[in-house]
Amino acid sequence: MAAVTKTPRPRPTVIALSVVAAVLLLSWWLFYRSPTTTNTANGAHHDSFQDCDNSWPQLNEIVQAKKTTKDCDNWMKSCKEQCIQKASTPIPKHIHFVSLNRPFSFMEWLAVVSARKFIKPDKITIYTDGQQDSCWWRRIAPYIDHQIILSMPGTSVLNGVKIEILSHMSDFLRFLILYHNGGIYMDTDVLILKSFDPLLQHQMVASEECGSHVGTAVMMSQKHSCVMCRFAHLSCEMFNGGWATHAVHALTVFMKNLDKEKEGVLVLPLKKGCLPLCWDGPGVERLYRTDAKDLRDYNISELYSVHLYRHFRTDLLLKTVNNYKWIQTSKSLAANAVRG
């Protein structure tokens, strides 16, 4: 009789290691793969990397039109004809972010997560000029309802001046986005501290910044608001290539000459608003220093948000605001605000 050969059984250690390896491989795939769908509040799924949005047929046309338009009245004409003086519905809880030519980082993650936590939006849309594939984007993507990839013109001309700075293009985009869609615009380095619900009954909301200025880093508007239409037109007319002429300066002039009570517009005061500190060097440092005596003047519970001003002190931010440890250990105003 032929001998029966027994197949050796795998050792328990080998089985255990194989299971661990499989689990780690599956976890890596789930976490690092680029998500193709996201969950909305009601559980529906849709493509988060769509190239365009059906509700936005005019956006790229307006951007492209600025190549040859010499008169701001031309590209704002439809806005003036369609706008609503005072809508009966509140500002929609639709958050808009614009991020051009920049990979997502820890700072953007803070902005999205804090907005989701406190505003509890019905929808979050991010407008970019290309695909995102950073580690932090993969953490953010599940919270995003739409990523709209814009076809940006190489060179635009407005009032005879080239629009060469992406921040300037971002300024015009946010005004058009708020007019056409309504909702809440936020810069991607703004940290939300509490609910915006008390503000949403107005036609338009902005916040004081740097004392006498009115900032554009956080703005809210009803859909097709005539006030937003008129401001966008003024912004277009004032554009001269200066860093903030068409944005902060234009909005400050506009609000100064506006009958805000009659128009249903709210400008939040500096220490009870969205943009409590200034963008200059000392103002930014107050956010991240732990020895600034004037921080006692700010009651975080009265602020709706804080602008972290990533662009103005990149060297400081790279040393401090780059991981979770900063949230846990720093005693600065910015870290205290994040811990909330």
Side-chain angles (χ1 to χ4, degrees), residues 261-319:
E261 184 175 354
K262 179 181 177 181
E263 299 280 6
V265 173
L266 175 65
V267 176
L268 293 163
L270 191 66
K271 294 185 179 181
K272 294 185 179 181
C274 298
L275 309 168
L277 296 175
C278 195
W279 58 73
D280 61 3
V284 176
E285 289 179 2
R286 291 187 190 106
L287 281 169
Y288 302 102
R289 284 183 7 223
T290 58
D291 60 343
K293 296 180 181 179
D294 53 354
L295 294 185
R296 68 191 66 175
D297 295 336
Y298 293 89
N299 185 345
I300 291 178
S301 66
E302 294 185 337
L303 296 172
Y304 284 94
S305 67
V306 174
H307 195 180
L308 299 178
Y309 293 114
R310 171 187 48 205
H311 307 295
F312 294 92
R313 283 302 308 272
T314 303
D315 58 330
L316 180 66
L317 296 183
L318 289 176
K319 294 177 182 177

Side-chain angles (χ1 to χ4, degrees), residues 106 109-110 320 323-330 335-336 338-339:
F106 177 64
W109 179 85
L110 282 177
T320 56
N323 55 47
Y324 299 109
K325 186 177 179 181
W326 169 78
I327 299 177
Q328 297 170 339
T329 60
S330 175
N336 287 334
V338 173
R339 288 193 292 267

